Amino acid sequence: MKSLNGRELVGYIKERQAKQVRSLRGRKILPKLAIFYDNDSPVIAKYMSLKQKYGDDIGIAVEVQKINSKNAEQLLKAAAGDVATTGIIVQLPLAEVSMNVLDLIPIEKDVDGLRGMSDTATAMAIHWLLTGYDIDIKSKKIAIVGHGKLVGAPLEKMWRESGYNVTVFDKGDDISKLNEYNLIVTATGVPGLIKSEMVQPGAVVVDAGTASEGGVIKGDLDEAARERDDFIVTPKIGGVGPLTVAMLFEKVIQAASK
């Protein structure tokens, strides 16, 4: 089975970004990313550790702070007003803190794109992943499963604006007809939701769903489907994630360069 492996594409991007950061540092510009989270989900911990390591690799400082309903506004406002902080992320999902805290992130520091004023890092990563493997998105009949703030909604907007043929399946919709589509992007966080019979031979499947089940991080695609060799799919680990992190730091560098 052909695999859409983001790790294979990210090496060149990281090398280029490290050079850009060295150039910024030479001009006394020190990019810094602030990450805020409010719960100890294993999925969140994994993603934050990946971002911290990536930042270390290319020379960008990453500061992580846990927030709660009492201090979130104060800490977000402090980061927003801190000239040394280049980019701000609120790591989703939030368990206690209101989503309204996203409104406290200045547009110029919203490197995750969660305020809806720019494409999200994950949506950009999915697009780059497909184009990096020469997948002709425009010719595909596309299904997006899940309409969340990070993936489904911004990806639908991006692709509709490009004139692509997109259908969205949200919570409660009948997904049994997914086998009529030859490009499926799924990001629901429901392990095993997409069954083998829902994937037609020759299809392309981007599994951007993540959930923790028994301490193991799982995607939306059922394990039985992964045993087939007649369609193209992202691996269980290393598909969209590495490129999402790369796109995130791309925006941090862009923000620092302005």
Side-chain angles (χ1 to χ4, degrees):
M1 179 184 295
K2 183 176 179 180
S3 176
L4 300 172
N5 195 330
R7 286 176 175 170
E8 294 181 358
L9 302 178
V10 81
Y12 168 76
I13 298 172
K14 181 184 281 191
E15 184 178 339
R16 170 178 57 77
Q17 289 174 337
K19 290 179 181 178
Q20 290 175 303
V21 173
R22 287 196 294 271
S23 176
L24 288 170
R25 286 181 168 273
R27 293 156 46 200
K28 308 300 183 185
I29 299 173
L30 308 178
K32 184 175 82 171
L33 173 65
I35 302 177
F36 296 93
Y37 72 106
D38 81 342
N39 66 91
D40 297 317
S41 158
V43 174
I44 284 179
K46 176 67 174 177
Y47 278 135
M48 289 194 302
S49 69
L50 288 172
K51 289 165 186 173
Q52 287 176 295
K53 183 179 186 308
Y54 196 103
D56 286 343
D57 288 346
I58 66 172
I60 291 181
V62 178
E63 182 180 273
V64 175
Q65 292 187 73
K66 191 171 185 179
I67 56 177
N68 56 50
S69 58
K70 295 180 179 179
N71 66 14
E73 182 174 349
Q74 176 188 351
L75 293 176
L76 264 293
K77 284 183 175 179
D82 179 17
V83 294
T85 299
T86 313
I88 300 172
I89 295 174
V90 173
Q91 189 72 53
L92 302 182
L94 292 169
E96 174 186 348
V97 176
S98 167
M99 289 285 285
N100 291 336
V101 297
L102 296 177
D103 296 334
L104 299 175
I105 304 174
I107 296 300
E108 65 274 13
K109 295 187 179 186
D110 180 24
V111 292
D112 222 1
L114 290 180
R115 293 199 58 186
M117 301 300 178
S118 63
D119 296 327
T120 65
T122 308
M124 290 173 60
I126 291 170
H127 188 82
W128 278 39
L129 178 65
L130 292 168
T131 56
Y133 276 95
D134 295 321
I135 303 297
D136 183 7
I137 307 172
K138 192 171 183 63
S139 68
K140 300 295 185 185
K141 184 179 180 182
I142 305 167
I144 296 176
V145 187
H147 203 242
K149 202 175 185 68
L150 273 174
V151 185
L155 191 60
E156 179 200 10
K157 180 176 181 291
M158 179 195 300
W159 281 351
R160 285 198 191 281
E161 289 177 350
S162 296
Y164 298 166
N165 180 12
V166 180
T167 299
V168 174
F169 292 82
D170 206 353
K171 188 175 182 180
D173 290 341
D174 180 10
I175 60 172
S176 64
K177 294 184 178 181
L178 282 178
N179 58 12
E180 298 176 3
Y181 297 81
N182 52 14
L183 171 55
I184 300 171
V185 178
T186 180
T188 69
V190 180
L193 176 69
I194 310 301
K195 307 301 182 185
S196 181
E197 62 269 19
M198 298 176 185
V199 182
Q200 65 173 253
V204 178
V205 179
V206 177
D207 185 355
T210 52
S212 178
E213 196 172 76
V216 178
I217 295 177
K218 295 187 175 183
D220 291 354
L221 187 62
D222 188 66
E223 291 300 316
R226 290 189 175 275
E227 296 176 3
R228 292 169 47 187
D229 60 3
D230 61 348
F231 68 96
I232 303 169
V233 66
T234 50
K236 287 190 285 187
I237 298 175
V240 176
L243 277 177
T244 296
V245 176
M247 293 303 98
L248 183 69
F249 281 95
E250 188 80 5
K251 288 191 170 186
V252 173
I253 293 169
Q254 289 172 359
S257 301
K258 293 180 179 178

